[in-house]
């Protein structure tokens, strides 16, 4: 990692600014987003457009965007899965992937996001839901959307293909089925030229231990993909340990449950294994009852490399800007602290050091001009 010129201050340090100027500051910070799901980034308006063009309107509870927004509102995990899979059912063509990538890019540009690593789950589209979609169509759509994002919005997008871990264990017997992992790895390898850089593991950790997927992650790493599994969300520190030891994780999706194990915290701090933290997602999923119980400030103060992300923003009624705003409004972070956390995301990006240095140099120039103008 490179040096950190933005001084790390105690999060309780204070600066006096108006709320309006703080909002402008947070919006303007150059941002990288490392944990956002493509399918989970789709807004009600985008979903309606997909449903109409693919004759899937009958799958939706309403064609009123406001009522869809109410349907999106998280109630429990089964409801979340219902909404998520319905969204996936409305994605039927290569053009649909290009469409939703461009929609994400437009939203990202409005939030000053300049770089994103977006997770998508192609196995659901090709195998779980029988829509006739092929991986070649998916890759073509992603590539077209990525090209548009770069040309129209100046945003660089890369992909993380993740395994839907809960489809990897046979019902009733619980016997591990390597098929989803093996197929997802094949897809990821075929997508390298279209911007696939990471290999992930998503879904509910309960009953789907990370160690079962070690064979696929070993092959992925050997072939140049970055290990980026989810861990430490619905399961505790043991899940993070397994992601680090069995999957050789370069970064942890969530990882907040590491707070429960001092030895694990020490390993993460010393190795500077980044955590992709999603505060609103954790609250909605009842990992923590409220924002005041969330361990983000403690993880930060302990010296872990923490980043802020939005996960599935419309489904959790959030944005990346809203997540950064929580740092100020709930944790009393000063501007310099907020900027430091934003810089962490560029430190943690799954890119060669030369690329990372370019982004960090641009960020540091912005921070020098805006933190103490």
């Amino acid at each position: 990692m490179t040096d950190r010129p933005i001084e790390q201050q105690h999060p309780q340090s204070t600066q006096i600014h108006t709320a309006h100027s703080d909002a402008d500051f947070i919006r303007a910070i150059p941002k990288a987003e490392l944990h956002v799901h493509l399918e989970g980034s789709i807004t009600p308006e985008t979903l309606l457009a997909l449903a109409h063009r693919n004759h899937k309107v009958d799958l939706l509870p309403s064609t009123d965007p406001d009522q869809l927004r109410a349907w999106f509102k998280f109630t429990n995990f089964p409801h979340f899965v219902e909404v998520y899979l319905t969204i996936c059912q409305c994605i039927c063509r290569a053009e649909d992937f290009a469409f939703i990538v461009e929609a994400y890019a437009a939203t990202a540009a409005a939030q000053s996001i300049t770089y994103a690593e977006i997770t998508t789950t192609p196995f659901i589209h090709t195998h779980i839901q029988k829509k006739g979609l092929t991986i070649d169509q998916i890759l073509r759509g992603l590539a077209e959307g990525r090209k548009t994002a770069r040309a129209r919005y100046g945003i660089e997008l890369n992909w993380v293909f993740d395994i839907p871990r809960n489809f990897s264990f046979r019902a009733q017997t619980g016997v591990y089925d390597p098929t989803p992992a093996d197929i997802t790895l094949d897809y990821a390898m075929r997508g390298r030229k279209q911007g696939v850089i990471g290999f992930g593991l998503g879904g509910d950790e309960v009953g789907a231990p990370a160690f079962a997927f070690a064979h696929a992650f070993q092959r992925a790493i050997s072939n140049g993909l970055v290990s980026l599994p989810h861990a430490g969300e619905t399961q505790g520190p043991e899940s993070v340990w397994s992601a680090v030891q069995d999957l050789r994780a370069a970064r942890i999706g969530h990882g907040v449950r590491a707070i429960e194990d001092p030895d694990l915290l020490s390993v993460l701090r010393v190795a500077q294994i980044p955590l992709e933290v999603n505060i609103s997602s954790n609250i909605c999923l009842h990992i923590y009852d409220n924002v005041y119980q969330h361990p983000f400030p403690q993880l930060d103060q302990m010296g872990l490399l923490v980043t802020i992300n939005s996960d599935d923003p419309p489904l959790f009624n959030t944005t990346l800007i809203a997540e950064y705003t929580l740092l100020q409004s709930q944790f009393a972070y000063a501007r310099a602290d907020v900027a430091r956390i934003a810089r962490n995301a560029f430190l943690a990006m799954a890119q060669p050091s030369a690329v990372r240095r370019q982004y960090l140099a641009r960020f540091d120039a912005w921070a020098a001009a805006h933190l103490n103008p």
Side-chain angles (χ1 to χ4, degrees):
M1 298 296 181
T2 60
D3 292 337
R4 302 187 181 193
I6 298 178
E7 181 182 358
Q8 180 163 344
Q9 301 176 7
H10 191 286
Q12 298 301 318
S13 60
T14 58
Q15 295 179 6
I16 299 175
H17 305 286
T18 66
H20 179 70
S21 66
D22 281 343
D24 289 345
F25 177 80
I26 288 174
R27 181 175 296 278
I29 296 173
K31 303 173 189 71
E33 180 152 42
L34 305 179
H35 190 119
V36 59
H37 294 266
L38 180 61
E39 296 86 348
S41 74
I42 294 173
T43 64
E45 290 78 9
T46 300
L47 178 59
L48 271 177
L50 289 169
H52 280 295
R53 70 200 279 178
N54 292 319
H55 309 289
K56 300 286 187 179
V57 175
D58 59 325
L59 296 177
L60 306 182
S62 174
T63 56
D64 182 327
D66 288 334
Q67 292 188 27
L68 281 182
R69 230 176 307 281
W71 180 58
F72 269 37
K73 187 175 181 181
F74 184 91
T75 56
N76 54 44
F77 191 71
H79 171 253
F80 169 80
V81 172
E82 173 196 344
V83 176
Y84 186 90
L85 291 178
T86 301
I87 289 171
C88 289
Q89 286 180 309
C90 293
I91 305 169
C92 302
R93 300 178 291 171
E95 294 79 8
D96 296 340
F97 280 90
F99 178 62
I100 60 180
V101 170
E102 183 179 349
Y104 169 82
T107 301
Q111 300 180 82
S112 301
I113 297 171
T114 62
Y115 176 88
E117 295 174 8
I118 302 178
T119 296
T120 187
T121 313
F123 187 83
I124 287 178
H125 299 285
T126 60
H127 284 72
I128 303 303
Q129 298 178 343
K130 307 299 183 182
K131 300 180 289 189
L133 263 173
T134 67
I135 187 57
D136 290 334
Q137 291 172 313
I138 293 172
L139 288 171
R140 186 168 74 249
L142 292 176
E144 184 62 32
R146 184 176 185 239
K147 180 180 177 182
T148 300
R150 184 185 296 133
R152 188 170 298 173
Y153 301 104
I155 300 173
E156 188 65 30
L157 304 179
N158 288 295
W159 315 113
V160 178
F161 279 10
D162 77 336
I163 307 162
R165 67 200 303 158
N166 306 111
F167 292 104
S168 299
F169 294 85
R170 295 191 179 100
Q172 298 178 333
T173 65
V175 174
Y176 174 68
D177 178 3
T179 303
D182 291 340
I183 289 176
T184 301
L185 177 57
D186 175 65
Y187 288 170
M189 293 304 303
R190 291 168 66 176
R192 294 295 298 277
K193 291 184 179 179
Q194 286 79 21
V196 180
I197 61 171
F199 193 57
L201 180 64
D204 189 351
E205 297 155 82
V206 177
F211 66 79
F213 302 89
H215 65 102
F217 277 83
Q218 181 176 348
R219 287 177 52 209
I221 294 167
S222 297
N223 283 281
L225 293 168
V226 181
S227 174
L228 303 171
H230 289 51
E233 181 190 21
T234 53
Q235 288 282 82
E238 68 278 6
S239 179
V240 182
W241 275 118
S242 186
V244 171
Q245 296 173 338
D246 298 318
L247 307 187
R248 294 165 54 194
R251 205 171 65 218
I252 302 290
H254 297 288
V256 289
R257 300 285 297 278
I259 195 73
E260 300 164 23
D261 185 336
D263 291 336
L264 176 58
L265 289 171
S266 179
V267 168
L268 296 174
R269 179 184 58 78
V270 171
Q272 286 291 278
I273 297 174
L275 303 185
E276 306 159 7
V277 180
N278 308 270
I279 297 173
S280 292
S281 168
N282 293 162
I283 304 305
C284 285
L285 288 169
H286 307 298
I287 310 304
Y288 302 100
D289 290 336
N290 56 62
V291 70
Y292 304 107
Q293 293 181 1
H294 199 280
F296 182 90
Q298 290 78 17
L299 293 167
D300 183 27
Q301 290 172 25
M302 291 174 187
L304 277 72
L305 186 58
V306 288
T307 68
I308 285 290
N309 308 272
S310 66
D311 205 359
D312 301 281
L315 302 182
F316 296 130
N317 191 32
T318 192
T319 63
L320 190 57
I321 284 176
E323 297 300 297
Y324 273 98
T325 300
L326 288 174
L327 299 184
Q328 278 195 332
S329 64
Q330 305 302 317
F331 301 142
Y333 272 52
R335 285 189 178 192
D337 296 311
V338 176
R340 174 175 54 79
I341 298 302
R343 190 178 191 273
N344 281 354
F346 293 104
L347 279 169
M349 62 200 302
Q351 288 289 344
S353 57
V355 175
R356 206 161 49 235
R357 283 196 298 268
Q358 291 176 358
Y359 277 95
L360 287 166
R362 289 196 289 268
F363 184 92
D364 290 341
W366 182 91
H370 291 83
L371 279 174
N372 296 295

PDB file of all heavy atoms in Angstrom, residues 9-10 76-77 86-87 111 134 167 183 199 205 219 222 263 283 321 323 339:
ATOM      1  N   GLN A   9      -7.405  11.106  11.859  1.00  0.00           N
ATOM      2  CA  GLN A   9      -7.806  11.794  13.069  1.00  0.00           C
ATOM      3  C   GLN A   9      -8.797  10.924  13.828  1.00  0.00           C
ATOM      4  O   GLN A   9      -9.394  10.006  13.285  1.00  0.00           O
ATOM      5  CB  GLN A   9      -8.479  13.130  12.713  1.00  0.00           C
ATOM      6  CG  GLN A   9      -7.568  14.069  11.917  1.00  0.00           C
ATOM      7  CD  GLN A   9      -8.312  15.321  11.521  1.00  0.00           C
ATOM      8  OE1 GLN A   9      -9.437  15.557  11.938  1.00  0.00           O
ATOM      9  NE2 GLN A   9      -7.685  16.131  10.698  1.00  0.00           N
ATOM     10  N   HIS A  10      -8.959  11.193  15.087  1.00  0.00           N
ATOM     11  CA  HIS A  10      -9.997  10.507  15.857  1.00  0.00           C
ATOM     12  C   HIS A  10     -11.347  10.891  15.274  1.00  0.00           C
ATOM     13  O   HIS A  10     -11.624  12.055  15.016  1.00  0.00           O
ATOM     14  CB  HIS A  10      -9.915  10.936  17.326  1.00  0.00           C
ATOM     15  CG  HIS A  10     -10.764  10.102  18.227  1.00  0.00           C
ATOM     16  ND1 HIS A  10     -12.122  10.211  18.265  1.00  0.00           N
ATOM     17  CD2 HIS A  10     -10.427   9.122  19.116  1.00  0.00           C
ATOM     18  CE1 HIS A  10     -12.600   9.352  19.162  1.00  0.00           C
ATOM     19  NE2 HIS A  10     -11.597   8.682  19.670  1.00  0.00           N
ATOM     20  N   ASN A  76     -37.829  -8.373   5.363  1.00  0.00           N
ATOM     21  CA  ASN A  76     -37.064  -9.490   5.910  1.00  0.00           C
ATOM     22  C   ASN A  76     -36.272 -10.128   4.772  1.00  0.00           C
ATOM     23  O   ASN A  76     -36.437  -9.767   3.608  1.00  0.00           O
ATOM     24  CB  ASN A  76     -37.970 -10.514   6.612  1.00  0.00           C
ATOM     25  CG  ASN A  76     -39.098 -10.990   5.703  1.00  0.00           C
ATOM     26  OD1 ASN A  76     -38.877 -11.282   4.525  1.00  0.00           O
ATOM     27  ND2 ASN A  76     -40.297 -11.064   6.235  1.00  0.00           N
ATOM     28  N   PHE A  77     -35.420 -11.090   5.128  1.00  0.00           N
ATOM     29  CA  PHE A  77     -34.536 -11.644   4.100  1.00  0.00           C
ATOM     30  C   PHE A  77     -35.302 -12.400   3.013  1.00  0.00           C
ATOM     31  O   PHE A  77     -34.991 -12.248   1.825  1.00  0.00           O
ATOM     32  CB  PHE A  77     -33.470 -12.533   4.736  1.00  0.00           C
ATOM     33  CG  PHE A  77     -32.372 -12.913   3.778  1.00  0.00           C
ATOM     34  CD1 PHE A  77     -31.449 -11.961   3.361  1.00  0.00           C
ATOM     35  CD2 PHE A  77     -32.284 -14.192   3.274  1.00  0.00           C
ATOM     36  CE1 PHE A  77     -30.440 -12.299   2.458  1.00  0.00           C
ATOM     37  CE2 PHE A  77     -31.280 -14.537   2.389  1.00  0.00           C
ATOM     38  CZ  PHE A  77     -30.355 -13.582   1.971  1.00  0.00           C
ATOM     39  N   THR A  86     -37.049 -11.558  -8.657  1.00  0.00           N
ATOM     40  CA  THR A  86     -37.994 -10.983  -9.623  1.00  0.00           C
ATOM     41  C   THR A  86     -37.277 -10.007 -10.547  1.00  0.00           C
ATOM     42  O   THR A  86     -37.506 -10.001 -11.766  1.00  0.00           O
ATOM     43  CB  THR A  86     -39.147 -10.273  -8.897  1.00  0.00           C
ATOM     44  OG1 THR A  86     -39.836 -11.207  -8.058  1.00  0.00           O
ATOM     45  CG2 THR A  86     -40.136  -9.678  -9.900  1.00  0.00           C
ATOM     46  N   ILE A  87     -36.405  -9.194  -9.974  1.00  0.00           N
ATOM     47  CA  ILE A  87     -35.601  -8.291 -10.798  1.00  0.00           C
ATOM     48  C   ILE A  87     -34.805  -9.089 -11.818  1.00  0.00           C
ATOM     49  O   ILE A  87     -34.772  -8.753 -13.012  1.00  0.00           O
ATOM     50  CB  ILE A  87     -34.664  -7.454  -9.900  1.00  0.00           C
ATOM     51  CG1 ILE A  87     -35.470  -6.431  -9.089  1.00  0.00           C
ATOM     52  CG2 ILE A  87     -33.602  -6.743 -10.741  1.00  0.00           C
ATOM     53  CD1 ILE A  87     -34.657  -5.720  -8.017  1.00  0.00           C
ATOM     54  N   GLN A 111     -23.021  10.926  -8.125  1.00  0.00           N
ATOM     55  CA  GLN A 111     -22.459  10.817  -6.773  1.00  0.00           C
ATOM     56  C   GLN A 111     -20.930  10.958  -6.767  1.00  0.00           C
ATOM     57  O   GLN A 111     -20.288  10.668  -5.769  1.00  0.00           O
ATOM     58  CB  GLN A 111     -22.843   9.470  -6.161  1.00  0.00           C
ATOM     59  CG  GLN A 111     -24.349   9.269  -6.038  1.00  0.00           C
ATOM     60  CD  GLN A 111     -24.669   7.928  -5.422  1.00  0.00           C
ATOM     61  OE1 GLN A 111     -24.633   7.758  -4.197  1.00  0.00           O
ATOM     62  NE2 GLN A 111     -24.971   6.949  -6.249  1.00  0.00           N
ATOM     63  N   THR A 134     -27.244 -16.755 -22.480  1.00  0.00           N
ATOM     64  CA  THR A 134     -25.945 -17.406 -22.477  1.00  0.00           C
ATOM     65  C   THR A 134     -24.916 -16.461 -21.856  1.00  0.00           C
ATOM     66  O   THR A 134     -25.122 -15.247 -21.791  1.00  0.00           O
ATOM     67  CB  THR A 134     -25.493 -17.756 -23.894  1.00  0.00           C
ATOM     68  OG1 THR A 134     -25.251 -16.540 -24.631  1.00  0.00           O
ATOM     69  CG2 THR A 134     -26.561 -18.581 -24.616  1.00  0.00           C
ATOM     70  N   PHE A 167     -27.097 -22.061  -3.642  1.00  0.00           N
ATOM     71  CA  PHE A 167     -27.496 -23.019  -4.664  1.00  0.00           C
ATOM     72  C   PHE A 167     -26.447 -24.119  -4.822  1.00  0.00           C
ATOM     73  O   PHE A 167     -26.590 -24.982  -5.702  1.00  0.00           O
ATOM     74  CB  PHE A 167     -27.711 -22.308  -6.003  1.00  0.00           C
ATOM     75  CG  PHE A 167     -28.895 -21.386  -6.012  1.00  0.00           C
ATOM     76  CD1 PHE A 167     -28.721 -20.011  -5.934  1.00  0.00           C
ATOM     77  CD2 PHE A 167     -30.186 -21.882  -6.082  1.00  0.00           C
ATOM     78  CE1 PHE A 167     -29.816 -19.150  -5.938  1.00  0.00           C
ATOM     79  CE2 PHE A 167     -31.291 -21.035  -6.083  1.00  0.00           C
ATOM     80  CZ  PHE A 167     -31.103 -19.664  -6.009  1.00  0.00           C
ATOM     81  N   ILE A 183     -18.871 -23.481 -12.857  1.00  0.00           N
ATOM     82  CA  ILE A 183     -19.414 -22.740 -13.998  1.00  0.00           C
ATOM     83  C   ILE A 183     -19.130 -21.248 -13.851  1.00  0.00           C
ATOM     84  O   ILE A 183     -18.740 -20.586 -14.822  1.00  0.00           O
ATOM     85  CB  ILE A 183     -20.930 -23.017 -14.135  1.00  0.00           C
ATOM     86  CG1 ILE A 183     -21.153 -24.449 -14.610  1.00  0.00           C
ATOM     87  CG2 ILE A 183     -21.591 -22.015 -15.092  1.00  0.00           C
ATOM     88  CD1 ILE A 183     -22.605 -24.866 -14.690  1.00  0.00           C
ATOM     89  N   PHE A 199     -13.344 -12.746  -8.302  1.00  0.00           N
ATOM     90  CA  PHE A 199     -14.129 -13.962  -8.113  1.00  0.00           C
ATOM     91  C   PHE A 199     -14.723 -13.888  -6.717  1.00  0.00           C
ATOM     92  O   PHE A 199     -13.997 -13.730  -5.725  1.00  0.00           O
ATOM     93  CB  PHE A 199     -13.227 -15.180  -8.256  1.00  0.00           C
ATOM     94  CG  PHE A 199     -13.957 -16.489  -8.380  1.00  0.00           C
ATOM     95  CD1 PHE A 199     -14.883 -16.693  -9.385  1.00  0.00           C
ATOM     96  CD2 PHE A 199     -13.685 -17.528  -7.497  1.00  0.00           C
ATOM     97  CE1 PHE A 199     -15.536 -17.918  -9.515  1.00  0.00           C
ATOM     98  CE2 PHE A 199     -14.331 -18.745  -7.616  1.00  0.00           C
ATOM     99  CZ  PHE A 199     -15.259 -18.946  -8.626  1.00  0.00           C
ATOM    100  N   GLU A 205     -24.507 -16.935   4.444  1.00  0.00           N
ATOM    101  CA  GLU A 205     -23.407 -17.801   4.884  1.00  0.00           C
ATOM    102  C   GLU A 205     -23.881 -19.002   5.691  1.00  0.00           C
ATOM    103  O   GLU A 205     -23.179 -20.016   5.776  1.00  0.00           O
ATOM    104  CB  GLU A 205     -22.422 -16.999   5.733  1.00  0.00           C
ATOM    105  CG  GLU A 205     -21.741 -15.864   4.996  1.00  0.00           C
ATOM    106  CD  GLU A 205     -21.281 -14.778   5.953  1.00  0.00           C
ATOM    107  OE1 GLU A 205     -20.204 -14.943   6.555  1.00  0.00           O
ATOM    108  OE2 GLU A 205     -22.005 -13.774   6.105  1.00  0.00           O
ATOM    109  N   ARG A 219      -8.130 -22.154  -8.032  1.00  0.00           N
ATOM    110  CA  ARG A 219      -7.991 -22.065  -9.490  1.00  0.00           C
ATOM    111  C   ARG A 219      -8.136 -20.623  -9.963  1.00  0.00           C
ATOM    112  O   ARG A 219      -7.407 -20.178 -10.858  1.00  0.00           O
ATOM    113  CB  ARG A 219      -9.027 -22.948 -10.177  1.00  0.00           C
ATOM    114  CG  ARG A 219      -8.738 -24.443 -10.085  1.00  0.00           C
ATOM    115  CD  ARG A 219      -9.852 -25.239 -10.717  1.00  0.00           C
ATOM    116  NE  ARG A 219     -10.127 -24.773 -12.068  1.00  0.00           N
ATOM    117  CZ  ARG A 219     -11.325 -24.859 -12.658  1.00  0.00           C
ATOM    118  NH1 ARG A 219     -12.366 -25.368 -11.993  1.00  0.00           N
ATOM    119  NH2 ARG A 219     -11.493 -24.433 -13.894  1.00  0.00           N
ATOM    120  N   SER A 222      -4.968 -18.715  -9.208  1.00  0.00           N
ATOM    121  CA  SER A 222      -3.893 -19.185 -10.086  1.00  0.00           C
ATOM    122  C   SER A 222      -4.009 -18.603 -11.484  1.00  0.00           C
ATOM    123  O   SER A 222      -3.012 -18.477 -12.209  1.00  0.00           O
ATOM    124  CB  SER A 222      -3.905 -20.714 -10.162  1.00  0.00           C
ATOM    125  OG  SER A 222      -3.649 -21.291  -8.899  1.00  0.00           O
ATOM    126  N   ASP A 263      -8.268 -11.728  17.951  1.00  0.00           N
ATOM    127  CA  ASP A 263      -7.174 -12.308  17.162  1.00  0.00           C
ATOM    128  C   ASP A 263      -7.397 -12.079  15.673  1.00  0.00           C
ATOM    129  O   ASP A 263      -6.448 -11.782  14.933  1.00  0.00           O
ATOM    130  CB  ASP A 263      -7.051 -13.804  17.445  1.00  0.00           C
ATOM    131  CG  ASP A 263      -6.560 -14.100  18.850  1.00  0.00           C
ATOM    132  OD1 ASP A 263      -5.889 -13.222  19.441  1.00  0.00           O
ATOM    133  OD2 ASP A 263      -6.845 -15.193  19.365  1.00  0.00           O
ATOM    134  N   ILE A 283     -27.946  -2.914   8.830  1.00  0.00           N
ATOM    135  CA  ILE A 283     -29.091  -2.572   9.689  1.00  0.00           C
ATOM    136  C   ILE A 283     -30.362  -3.223   9.154  1.00  0.00           C
ATOM    137  O   ILE A 283     -31.140  -3.825   9.909  1.00  0.00           O
ATOM    138  CB  ILE A 283     -29.268  -1.042   9.788  1.00  0.00           C
ATOM    139  CG1 ILE A 283     -27.979  -0.360  10.280  1.00  0.00           C
ATOM    140  CG2 ILE A 283     -30.439  -0.706  10.708  1.00  0.00           C
ATOM    141  CD1 ILE A 283     -27.444  -0.883  11.572  1.00  0.00           C
ATOM    142  N   ILE A 321     -23.714   8.172  -1.361  1.00  0.00           N
ATOM    143  CA  ILE A 321     -23.655   9.452  -0.654  1.00  0.00           C
ATOM    144  C   ILE A 321     -24.318   9.339   0.719  1.00  0.00           C
ATOM    145  O   ILE A 321     -23.799   9.846   1.721  1.00  0.00           O
ATOM    146  CB  ILE A 321     -24.312  10.562  -1.496  1.00  0.00           C
ATOM    147  CG1 ILE A 321     -23.369  10.984  -2.623  1.00  0.00           C
ATOM    148  CG2 ILE A 321     -24.679  11.767  -0.633  1.00  0.00           C
ATOM    149  CD1 ILE A 321     -23.955  12.008  -3.562  1.00  0.00           C
ATOM    150  N   GLU A 323     -24.543   6.721   2.560  1.00  0.00           N
ATOM    151  CA  GLU A 323     -23.671   5.952   3.451  1.00  0.00           C
ATOM    152  C   GLU A 323     -22.541   6.821   4.003  1.00  0.00           C
ATOM    153  O   GLU A 323     -22.203   6.742   5.185  1.00  0.00           O
ATOM    154  CB  GLU A 323     -23.110   4.737   2.716  1.00  0.00           C
ATOM    155  CG  GLU A 323     -24.174   3.734   2.268  1.00  0.00           C
ATOM    156  CD  GLU A 323     -24.982   3.171   3.425  1.00  0.00           C
ATOM    157  OE1 GLU A 323     -24.388   2.493   4.290  1.00  0.00           O
ATOM    158  OE2 GLU A 323     -26.207   3.411   3.474  1.00  0.00           O
ATOM    159  N   ALA A 339     -12.967  12.038   4.129  1.00  0.00           N
ATOM    160  CA  ALA A 339     -12.093  11.951   2.957  1.00  0.00           C
ATOM    161  C   ALA A 339     -11.117  10.779   3.095  1.00  0.00           C
ATOM    162  O   ALA A 339     -10.827  10.080   2.113  1.00  0.00           O
ATOM    163  CB  ALA A 339     -11.335  13.257   2.778  1.00  0.00           C
TER     164      ALA A 339
END
